[in-house]
Amino acid sequence: MEIQSFLGTGWSFPPSFDKVGRTALMVSDIADIEESIRIILSTIPGERLMQPTFGCDLKKLVFEKFESTLMGELKHMIYYALLNYEPRIKDVNIELLGRNELEGFLHIQLNYTIIITNTRHNLVYPFYFLEGTSLT
């Protein structure tokens, strides 16, 4: 089965396979863009051998004090990572929705326009800033 999409087609993430057809499961269109955004935001620069600057270094902010300067830095990092590594979107607007300091998470809403179709979409990305600690 051949998928034809002008927005792109790629492997699903995390990679999954169809056991019957013995093929990799693919995603297209908006789902491909959303998975690309999630990959960019969850990749630490330096993780990819041949692309050492790819990603968004959100992990370095995990233990930072939750202040307005942190919010500005977070928005800046996300905006430039998407500007550099996701060419299919434009007009990126980042909003910080809700946070729970005791639970250790922050919901980040990304509003963007897909260039080819010129339609607006959004994605909420959960950023866990207390991940890896023993706080309960």
Side-chain angles (χ1 to χ4, degrees):
M1 179 170 115
E2 186 176 321
I3 301 172
Q4 294 185 3
S5 169
F6 62 91
L7 289 176
T9 299
W11 280 29
S12 64
F13 189 81
S16 303
F17 299 92
D18 178 13
K19 292 180 182 179
V20 176
R22 295 185 179 192
T23 59
L25 295 179
M26 306 297 275
V27 291
S28 297
D29 299 324
I30 297 166
D32 188 37
I33 292 172
E34 288 179 357
E35 288 192 8
S36 174
I37 291 170
R38 284 189 182 93
I39 290 168
I40 292 166
L41 297 181
S42 63
T43 301
I44 300 170
E47 275 188 69
R48 292 196 174 187
L49 185 62
M50 300 304 283
Q51 291 182 311
T53 60
F54 179 86
C56 184
D57 204 5
L58 292 176
K59 301 282 185 193
K60 81 174 192 177
L61 302 176
V62 169
F63 297 108
E64 294 295 321
K65 190 171 181 182
F66 205 80
E67 297 176 331
S68 61
T69 56
L70 175 67
M71 298 302 103
E73 186 174 355
L74 190 69
K75 286 181 177 183
H76 176 79
M77 290 172 71
I78 293 169
Y79 179 81
Y80 283 100
L82 295 178
L83 178 69
N84 289 323
Y85 299 110
E86 185 45 77
R88 297 172 288 183
I89 63 174
K90 66 178 182 178
D91 301 331
V92 177
N93 181 17
I94 300 143
E95 294 179 39
L96 306 174
L97 293 180
R99 73 178 193 210
N100 186 330
E101 293 183 35
L102 294 176
E103 300 270 330
F105 70 86
L106 172 70
H107 284 270
I108 303 164
Q109 180 169 326
L110 306 172
N111 298 303
Y112 55 90
T113 301
I114 297 174
I115 291 175
I116 295 175
T117 63
N118 205 30
T119 57
R120 293 196 52 78
H121 296 276
N122 70 54
L123 173 111
V124 175
Y125 181 79
F127 174 60
Y128 297 94
F129 57 89
L130 288 179
E131 190 172 300
T133 66
S134 60
L135 297 176
T136 56

